Amino acid sequence: MRGRLPVAGSQSSLREANRAKIVEAVKQYGGLTQVELTGATGLSPATVSTIVKELVAAGLVEVRGTVRSGRRAQLVTIAHRLGLVAGVVVGHRHLRVAIADASHEVVAEQALPLPAEHKVDTSLDRVALLVVDLLERIGANLDELLGIGLGVPAPVDVDTGLISVRGIMRGWDDVHVAQVLEKRLSRPVFVDNDANLGAMAESTLGASRHVQDSVYVGVSHGTGAGVVIGGRVHRGFAGLAGEIGHVQVDPAGRVCGCGNRGCLDTVVGGPAFLAPLRDSHGNLTLRDVVRYANEGDLGCRQVVADAGRVVGQVVAGLATALNPQCIVVGGELAETGDVLLEPLREAVLRRTLVNRVAPVEVVPTELGGRAELTGALLLALQSTDVFDRIDEARAGMVEEVG
Ligand SMILES: [Zn+2]
């Protein structure tokens, strides 16, 4: 926890510590009712109510009516006026941009298709235009944007914003992605791998929020994993941790963009994944396969299930190395639900050691198609000084109230 440490025993420092507890809980979850705040902080309902009133008066939080479990409740969020952030996810074939406030509430959002093997310059131009356009739509300007979190489907050296392995994302090599976008928008940009962002979102707000050690697996045009150890995303030395798309699954397979042979990415998500359907179904896209599988098409369900098995084999290796409590499965192929998840789960459970505490949980994403975008927004919020400003303002309340 940032901010000042309270001095033990003094009345005002106890208040300050209680205020800090409440602000930390609201920062982490975006918005909580007063009853939920009581549960999250261990404070009494009366104390929560008093402190929330103080924080509202200081302009740090806002309260509005909502409904929880069919009953009316007061939702407490970080005040909207404290600033906006943008989250951006660039995929192999699409781009998504969202604008949110410090309470994690998305206030504008749009997606655009991208051509195959899109180039970094034109794609970041589109990102910049879309960010400005979304801000205009909500009547805000660039000055109100504190920062931008950007996810890409490749390993990233977060210190330099450079994609750390050449050939994985063609047209994006040797470009300081963060610097290029910063130049266009004159706002700070923070870049990370998309699976790391999915992991950050699921472990903060989604399916793995109750555990300390978890893995997020995104299965789309490529497959990537984000590793969370002790509640923090583990990126590794050069941002390569969890790059399971480049684990070899077929020693005699196709040569991958990374230069190795038979990587998982050459088998799942790409052209080789769609090829078995060509004779029976014609030329399908990944989206088509997801849609037909959900409509019950047996051929499409077959290739998705095969993908689940091979991804599960690779994830089992990762799980053996890391011993996570929970594996969260997301990405576009996860939109087929159990068609992907069941064979993936079975492959993981069959290949990992059975411990006497509890088997590893293999669960679907709770944030759905929004996991990575939510992670990009969280990255922007955590990297900008908005939370520091809240802490400073809260610490400043001591003199006024205490
Ligand atoms: Zn590879």
Side-chain angles (χ1 to χ4, degrees):
M1 196 165 63
R2 286 167 297 198
R4 294 173 206 169
L5 287 172
V7 184
S10 107
Q11 203 45 259
S12 67
S13 64
L14 181 65
R15 256 180 129 116
E16 152 70 359
N18 289 344
R19 257 186 236 129
K21 273 188 194 167
I22 287 180
V23 170
E24 283 302 318
V26 176
K27 270 158 53 179
Q28 185 180 352
Y29 297 105
L32 289 171
T33 65
Q34 301 219 17
V35 174
E36 289 164 343
L37 271 172
T38 306
T41 59
L43 299 172
S44 73
T47 306
V48 168
S49 171
T50 307
I51 292 177
V52 165
K53 275 192 198 117
E54 288 171 12
L55 292 169
V56 169
L60 285 182
V61 303
E62 288 171 2
V63 177
R64 64 170 188 274
T66 186
V67 176
R68 278 284 204 280
S69 319
R71 300 178 65 179
R72 261 184 273 173
Q74 296 286 306
L75 186 72
V76 183
T77 64
I78 298 291
H80 290 214
R81 64 163 183 85
L82 289 166
L84 300 167
V85 291
V88 180
V89 174
V90 176
H92 286 276
R93 298 303 306 273
H94 69 275
L95 157 68
R96 283 178 83 174
V97 178
I99 309 282
D101 60 27
S103 70
H104 305 190
E105 189 181 344
V106 172
V107 287
E109 181 176 350
Q110 197 176 329
L112 280 183
L114 288 176
E117 302 198 350
H118 48 87
K119 300 280 176 288
V120 64
D121 268 11
T122 46
S123 297
L124 290 182
D125 276 341
R126 285 178 196 197
V127 169
L129 286 171
L130 200 49
V131 167
V132 171
D133 183 46
L134 288 179
L135 286 169
E136 267 174 21
R137 264 189 244 172
I138 56 167
N141 58 47
L142 262 177
D143 296 339
E144 292 169 67
L145 195 68
L146 301 167
I148 299 149
L150 172 68
V152 293
V156 177
D157 176 9
V158 290
D159 293 332
T160 60
L162 204 63
I163 290 175
S164 42
V165 178
R166 306 188 71 185
I168 285 189
M169 208 173 156
R170 263 187 253 171
W172 286 65
D173 284 335
D174 304 318
V175 176
H176 285 85
V177 178
Q179 283 177 20
V180 172
L181 192 58
E182 267 168 18
K183 215 172 258 174
R184 285 181 176 53
L185 288 170
S186 305
R187 307 309 299 154
V189 177
F190 311 93
V191 188
D192 203 345
N193 169 261
D194 55 4
N196 286 350
L197 295 178
M200 190 190 280
E202 291 290 346
S203 66
T204 309
L205 302 165
S208 50
R209 66 184 179 280
H210 304 299
V211 306
Q212 285 292 299
D213 303 309
S214 62
V215 169
Y216 170 82
V217 183
V219 193
S220 293
H221 291 267
T223 299
V227 174
V228 176
I229 297 175
R232 297 178 69 90
V233 174
H234 173 76
R235 295 185 173 84
F237 162 62
L240 300 188
E243 276 301 309
I244 57 171
H246 300 281
V247 168
Q248 191 184 57
V249 294
D250 181 4
R254 296 179 177 210
V255 171
C256 178
C258 75
N260 294 330
R261 187 186 282 279
C263 293
L264 177 60
D265 274 1
T266 67
V267 175
V268 172
F273 166 73
L274 301 169
L277 291 163
R278 203 161 295 138
D279 290 348
S280 53
H281 290 67
N283 282 325
L284 299 183
T285 64
L286 187 85
R287 288 253 39 103
D288 296 332
V289 174
V290 169
R291 193 172 73 240
Y292 295 150
N294 283 334
E295 287 169 7
D297 181 279
L298 294 176
C300 290
R301 291 170 83 92
Q302 181 70 52
V303 296
V304 173
D306 291 344
R309 262 183 289 277
V310 65
V311 171
Q313 280 175 35
V314 174
V315 170
L318 187 66
T320 300
L322 297 173
N323 187 209
Q325 198 174 338
C326 178
I327 294 165
V328 183
V329 182
E332 285 183 63
L333 282 187
E335 292 169 29
T336 61
D338 281 344
V339 183
L340 180 81
L341 194 67
E342 273 307 324
L344 196 160
R345 179 187 286 134
E346 197 201 297
V348 170
L349 294 180
R350 192 147 37 92
R351 286 180 171 78
T352 45
L353 291 170
V354 179
N355 70 67
R356 291 162 66 170
V357 186
V360 58
E361 293 171 55
V362 182
V363 297
T365 160
E366 269 186 22
L367 301 168
R370 307 183 62 84
E372 290 157 9
L373 192 62
T374 303
L377 291 166
L378 287 175
L379 175 68
L381 281 171
Q382 287 167 10
S383 306
T384 57
D385 67 348
V386 60
F387 286 162
D388 293 331
R389 287 199 277 153
I390 294 167
D391 287 339
E392 275 164 31
R394 197 200 71 231
M397 289 171 64
V398 176
E399 290 80 47
E400 293 157 34
V401 187

